[in-house]
Amino acid sequence: QHTVIFIYFPPDNSFSENKAHTMAYDHDGEDILKPLVFRLHESVPEAVREVLLERGWSEFDEQEQDDADWNLYWQNSPFRMTDHRSIKPWQRLNHYPETVRITRKDYLARHLKRMKGIYGPSLYEFSPVAFIMPNDYVKFIAEYTKERQSQGKKPSYWICKPVDLSRGRGILIFQDIKDFVYDCMVIVQKYISNPLLISGYKSDLRLYVCVTSFCPLTIYAYDEGLVRFATEKFDLSSLDNVYAHLTNTSINKFGASYKKNKEGIGHGCKWTFSKFRSYLRSHEVDDLLLWQRINNIIMLTLLAITPSVPLTSNCFELFGFDILIDDTFKPWLLEVNYSPALRLDCSIDTTVKKRLLHDIIELLNYKQTDTLRENKEPGTKASYAGRTHIPLRTQGENATDDAPNFLASRQESEWTATSAVQSLLEVAGGSFKKEAIVIGKMARTHPRKTLTSQLRERMNRLKTSSQSKAASKSKQLPGARHPAHASVQVTHWLPTTELCNYKLTIPPYFLSTKDKRPFPRVGDFVLIFPFNDAALEASRNGVDVKSIVQEIHKLMNKQSPPGQQKVKKRKDYLTFR
Ligand code: ADP
């Protein structure tokens, strides 16, 4: 099969001077561009399918399509190593291997304890003291007894959680050891008994974090997220009232007050981060500093497993970080969730999670070439072997020209001086900051409507399948923000296995050019790691955890110099109650 490459110069020079755009046709001049194809495991929530259809993707059909003829495979459980090994260049998997090492409560506790031992308690004191039962029973009793015997100190409250359950199942809170019973493997954690209360209600934060590469380490934190409230007022005299002490939606939606209009909180049990931030600002709380501290927790936690994640490319991992803020505005890490819930339970879920899903697809950096799954190989219906690969990017091209075009459609106000990325980069300082911000700005000024996108729109208009009808119907759904097919034009940096070993394969001067850096912001995903050149360098050629931790330490000192650790003075936060 012959492939003809047409060089296309847009008549209006709209996106970049002298920049050629390539498109492939087969020898009959027939279009060979196809919609991107997703493959979902049956347990994946419907929202994922909805968003992908809205974007013009089609669903994998086992009967009709070859095994490899898909671009994204999404499931809630880990993939087999053979799936990772047989990955094709145009495919992505939604999990890295071995990431459960921080998503099971006991593994996380063990890893964080190890990191604390190596790098010191001042950095790793963000997770409540924990004991894994039954192994740590003796240690727990020793700690419990020591506390009881120390004069003038109020004994701690403890929370006991099964290590591999979620959604608040099997949780017990106690102060007296006689109330402590367990019949499976559990962790017993110090209970944060002074949570930040809003109108008397406890809450925690669900943060979405996407790792697009473990080597070089690349971490994006989502700027928007969920604040999840308990639906009854916090009260330490009723430890068995789950509606007052647990903030899981799966529990609180069954509470008697769930639907009621609760003073200061409203109906239901969720806020967006946007609402929470404006609430904090209205109470003169430095929400940026709070967010920087949360970002530090995310980086330090992920570093605990980074060296042990096998080198694999074409995957990403979406984590759900649960953070509880206490009444001194100290953020605590409660746990890290694997496959965080993407079900749409209420309108706030729809706002946050659908947008999140759109932005994940943007982050995945699908290129035009990912849709060309055409060439045949004997014995298969379609395969990659022998495929003509058409590079969209050539050496020397500026990354700013390849910026995701959806950035252009963002409101100016969304790229404000108060955005987390800018604050982080401002603290980081140096050339990295300037370049990163310039990339963001230029990205906005180059909206693109390429021949490819027009052709794809035309092809999709012609489609008569029920799938395409469903897609076009869902395009009108409220909350659908991104134009369909925007993803095919995204060609920004995504690290690959080859890049990881670049010191061996590619001259260093080539890689230090700015287009080998990740984008500082993709949709509402904000790059939190690497945050400066030193951090980037230390995470490229195998991850140098020690150097990275040192860089984070320096960053933390800049964010809040010793003596200025508090987000807000104690007398002020009492107004929250
Ligand atoms: P699950 O995976 O079952 O949701 P979590 O660790 O997230 O378990 O705990 C469930 C809820 O219990 C949290 O959302 C939070 O409200 C509360 N919680 C958990 N650990 C603590 C703690 N150490 N201190 C205070 N509250 C906690």
Side-chain angles (χ1 to χ4, degrees):
Q1 179 159 351
H2 305 287
T3 300
V4 180
I5 299 174
F6 287 95
I7 309 293
Y8 170 66
F9 292 93
D12 56 355
N13 274 335
S14 57
F15 38 92
S16 107
E17 274 178 46
N18 304 324
K19 186 168 177 209
H21 279 250
T22 55
M23 277 199 51
Y25 295 83
D26 68 9
H27 62 289
D28 303 325
E30 202 178 288
D31 301 335
I32 58 168
L33 284 169
K34 294 174 171 185
L36 291 157
V37 175
F38 63 89
R39 196 170 176 178
L40 301 185
H41 188 261
E42 56 194 29
S43 61
V44 174
E46 193 51 31
V48 179
R49 175 176 287 108
E50 266 176 36
V51 165
L52 289 162
L53 290 175
E54 274 171 26
R55 302 179 67 88
W57 287 53
S58 65
E59 187 155 5
F60 179 73
D61 182 339
E62 246 169 77
Q63 309 299 322
E64 292 292 316
Q65 282 163 296
D66 182 79
D67 271 356
D69 206 6
W70 48 267
N71 300 92
L72 170 65
Y73 200 156
W74 192 298
Q75 63 179 32
N76 286 348
S77 51
F79 290 94
R80 295 165 306 175
M81 260 337 264
T82 49
D83 296 325
H84 286 285
R85 280 193 209 105
S86 58
I87 195 86
K88 304 285 186 280
W90 62 88
Q91 298 178 328
R92 311 273 190 277
L93 302 174
N94 74 318
H95 294 296
Y96 268 93
E98 303 289 336
T99 42
V100 289
R101 285 168 187 262
I102 48 163
T103 58
R104 229 179 83 152
K105 294 176 179 69
D106 52 337
Y107 296 170
L108 176 67
R110 207 168 285 143
H111 274 295
L112 293 180
K113 197 171 170 193
R114 180 178 54 80
M115 294 297 274
K116 199 174 185 170
I118 302 172
Y119 299 107
S122 66
L123 281 173
Y124 278 90
E125 44 77 71
F126 53 78
S127 110
V129 170
F131 298 91
I132 301 163
M133 300 292 175
N135 288 7
D136 291 343
Y137 188 78
V138 174
K139 284 185 197 152
F140 170 63
I141 296 299
E143 172 74 20
Y144 176 88
T145 316
K146 198 174 94 194
E147 264 196 7
R148 293 262 152 175
Q149 286 168 351
S150 67
Q151 299 288 318
K153 214 180 152 203
K154 227 179 143 230
S156 298
Y157 293 85
W158 300 92
I159 183 166
C160 162
K161 312 188 263 192
V163 294
D164 55 358
L165 286 186
S166 58
R167 291 182 269 139
R169 288 171 293 176
I171 290 184
L172 167 80
I173 302 166
F174 63 94
Q175 192 177 29
D176 194 321
I177 200 149
K178 73 174 167 29
D179 299 322
F180 174 40
V181 279
Y182 64 97
D183 57 5
C184 59
M185 208 167 154
V186 295
I187 70 161
V188 176
Q189 214 176 45
K190 239 180 205 171
Y191 186 64
I192 310 297
S193 56
N194 61 328
L196 172 70
L197 301 179
I198 297 181
S199 299
Y201 294 94
K202 174 180 172 177
S203 62
D204 74 356
L205 310 182
R206 163 59 56 86
L207 270 113
Y208 299 100
V209 173
C210 192
V211 177
T212 53
S213 164
F214 276 93
C215 182
L217 185 60
T218 312
I219 310 171
Y220 286 87
Y222 206 58
D223 226 5
E224 192 50 281
L226 297 169
V227 183
R228 304 170 312 169
F229 286 95
T231 46
E232 288 184 21
K233 294 207 177 188
F234 188 72
D235 180 1
L236 283 169
S237 64
S238 61
L239 294 179
D240 53 358
N241 182 358
V242 288
Y243 304 115
H245 290 278
L246 307 189
T247 51
N248 305 77
T249 310
S250 44
I251 289 176
N252 283 287
K253 67 182 177 188
F254 297 111
S257 313
Y258 176 69
K259 287 193 178 137
K260 290 191 189 144
N261 190 5
K262 293 169 284 303
E263 178 215 338
I265 305 294
H267 298 277
C269 66
K270 281 181 189 165
W271 279 8
T272 59
F273 281 179
S274 308
K275 183 165 177 178
F276 182 56
R277 282 195 184 105
S278 41
Y279 180 87
L280 293 176
R281 281 175 205 164
S282 71
H283 287 77
E284 288 165 32
V285 175
D286 186 350
D287 63 305
L288 280 180
L289 183 53
L290 180 62
W291 243 259
Q292 283 167 346
R293 287 185 178 168
I294 292 172
N295 288 343
N296 298 339
I297 292 178
I298 295 169
M299 292 187 279
L300 290 168
T301 304
L302 287 167
L303 276 176
I305 57 154
T306 299
S308 44
V309 175
L311 202 58
T312 41
S313 58
N314 291 33
C315 8
F316 66 99
E317 190 79 53
L318 179 71
F319 294 102
F321 275 67
D322 290 351
I323 304 277
L324 186 140
I325 298 166
D326 73 15
D327 64 3
T328 67
F329 293 96
K330 176 179 164 57
W332 292 90
L333 177 70
L334 297 185
E335 69 157 348
V336 182
N337 291 274
Y338 192 81
S339 290
L342 293 171
R343 270 187 43 193
L344 309 179
D345 277 336
C346 60
S347 60
I348 289 168
D349 273 354
T350 309
T351 311
V352 173
K353 294 180 185 175
K354 285 197 81 174
R355 195 166 163 156
L356 168 78
L357 283 164
H358 276 289
D359 287 342
I360 289 172
I361 306 302
E362 296 290 351
L363 202 53
L364 296 187
N365 187 30
Y366 282 96
K367 302 182 185 74
Q368 288 163 322
T369 43
D370 291 323
T371 66
L372 308 177
R373 307 173 302 271
E374 183 76 348
N375 292 339
K376 305 280 191 292
E377 190 185 46
T380 61
K381 283 175 257 172
S383 86
Y384 177 68
R387 190 174 83 130
T388 308
H389 196 83
I390 305 159
L392 281 179
R393 180 118 139 232
T394 53
Q395 271 195 41
E397 261 187 352
N398 193 322
T400 54
D401 295 330
D402 287 339
N405 79 336
F406 65 90
L407 282 171
S409 62
R410 287 296 168 107
Q411 295 292 314
E412 189 78 22
S413 63
E414 290 190 2
W415 187 267
T416 61
T418 55
S419 82
V421 66
Q422 282 200 359
S423 62
L424 193 75
L425 293 167
E426 271 154 22
V427 172
S431 60
F432 187 79
K433 164 189 150 189
K434 287 181 213 114
E435 283 169 13
I437 290 173
V438 169
I439 289 169
K441 282 187 178 153
M442 289 186 71
R444 261 202 336 271
T445 60
H446 292 291
R448 281 216 213 138
K449 181 116 176 134
T450 63
L451 185 58
T452 317
S453 69
Q454 289 164 24
L455 170 65
R456 193 179 292 282
E457 276 167 26
R458 202 187 75 215
M459 286 165 68
N460 277 278
R461 255 184 266 130
L462 292 175
K463 272 205 289 181
T464 51
S465 70
S466 57
Q467 223 169 34
S468 90
K469 275 186 209 145
S472 60
K473 202 168 133 211
S474 57
K475 257 180 233 164
Q476 278 124 45
L477 287 175
R481 219 174 26 131
H482 296 280
H485 325 305
S487 64
V488 290
Q489 295 157 52
V490 178
T491 54
H492 58 271
W493 186 73
L494 183 84
T496 61
T497 317
E498 292 78 47
L499 252 179
C500 263
N501 298 324
Y502 57 72
K503 277 219 168 127
L504 305 172
T505 53
I506 307 176
Y509 59 83
F510 174 76
L511 289 143
S512 60
T513 58
K514 68 181 175 191
D515 61 336
K516 291 295 168 225
R517 287 177 177 167
F519 269 78
R521 184 171 188 132
V522 176
D524 278 348
F525 275 111
V526 174
L527 180 75
I528 62 164
F529 190 92
F531 51 85
N532 65 15
D533 284 329
L536 176 68
E537 219 33 62
S539 74
R540 273 178 156 175
N541 196 23
V543 175
D544 177 354
V545 177
K546 193 174 167 201
S547 302
I548 296 173
V549 170
Q550 280 167 357
E551 282 306 313
I552 296 175
H553 202 173
K554 283 190 221 158
L555 181 72
M556 287 164 72
N557 285 338
K558 278 187 196 165
Q559 288 165 346
S560 44
Q564 294 176 28
Q565 305 287 334
K566 284 227 164 79
V567 172
K568 196 170 182 257
K569 289 195 193 94
R570 193 174 176 92
K571 66 178 167 55
D572 298 329
Y573 55 75
L574 293 175
T575 57
F576 276 84
R577 291 168 191 265

